[in-house]
Amino acid sequence: MKRVATIVLGTLIMAFGYYYLNEQFGLAEGGFVGLALLGRYLFDIDPAISMIVLDIPFFLIALWWKGWRFVGQAVLAAASLSLSYAMWDRLDLLTFDIQVWPATLFAAIASGIVTGYGLGLVLKSGGATGGDDLFALGLSKWTGVSVGTILIIFDVIVLAISLIYLPLSNALYTLLAVSIAGRVVTKMLTEDVVEVAVPSVTKLKTKNDLA
């Protein structure tokens, strides 16, 4: 139950960053979301449909690779992320009127930290928010390259292609955000969990569920 709660919390944090930072400051998306937006621009395909089409093969591979429990947690995370985004959209708690330099720079930095932390929680708990996360997990296990680094490389490729329709400034700000997010994810997945106790500090050696 704690694992499920952590996955839901992680998606709530991610969706907060996507809606209140990326959305309001015109930052784009990397990964499969970015590909879905590109598909809408080039072929007028509904992103909701194209994202499902992109995700399905990786969920099927994950079913063979990790089993029903992992896929169930991944589906939970993906659904929770969508519902969380809809919730933040409906609540609309924050509105930022200043969306130019340096506010956009600060928003990109904040987005990277917030979304990276949220995704880190999801991945550490054995979930994945979409096919691109599953792709990064599988490739990381095969190559030994960190998940965060793979996510950054994939996002850079998608953003480079998205320059077909995306202003360069938005792409660069988004690149900064996804780079920070990737570093945050890497740090969360590779470092020990530190528990602060009074009066001492105890390091807890935790098994990486994704290994």
Side-chain angles (χ1 to χ4, degrees), residues 10-104:
T11 58
L12 277 170
I13 294 172
M14 287 179 68
F16 180 91
Y18 286 142
Y19 180 75
Y20 289 108
L21 297 170
N22 289 45
E23 179 77 14
Q24 292 200 37
F25 286 89
L27 302 180
E29 304 286 352
F32 281 5
V33 177
L35 287 178
L37 294 176
L38 185 62
R40 180 174 62 183
Y41 176 79
L42 294 177
F43 308 109
D44 197 28
I45 301 175
D46 185 347
I49 296 176
S50 56
M51 283 184 65
I52 293 175
V53 171
L54 289 168
D55 282 341
I56 286 176
F58 289 93
F59 277 104
L60 291 176
I61 293 172
L63 184 62
W64 167 78
W65 174 41
K66 286 286 192 178
W68 282 103
R69 181 180 179 184
F70 177 80
V71 172
Q73 291 175 161
V75 170
L76 167 67
S80 179
L81 181 61
S82 296
L83 291 174
S84 297
Y85 190 92
M87 182 196 74
W88 291 125
D89 182 22
R90 189 174 184 85
L91 292 175
D92 199 19
L93 299 176
L94 301 171
T95 300
F96 299 101
D97 295 325
I98 302 176
Q99 300 176 0
V100 294
W101 169 270
T104 308

Side-chain angles (χ1 to χ4, degrees), residues 184-204:
V184 172
V185 169
T186 297
K187 190 175 183 65
M188 292 181 67
L189 294 182
T190 57
E191 291 198 350
D192 296 333
V193 177
V194 180
E195 182 182 83
V196 179
V198 181
S200 62
V201 177
T202 304
K203 284 192 175 181
L204 301 177

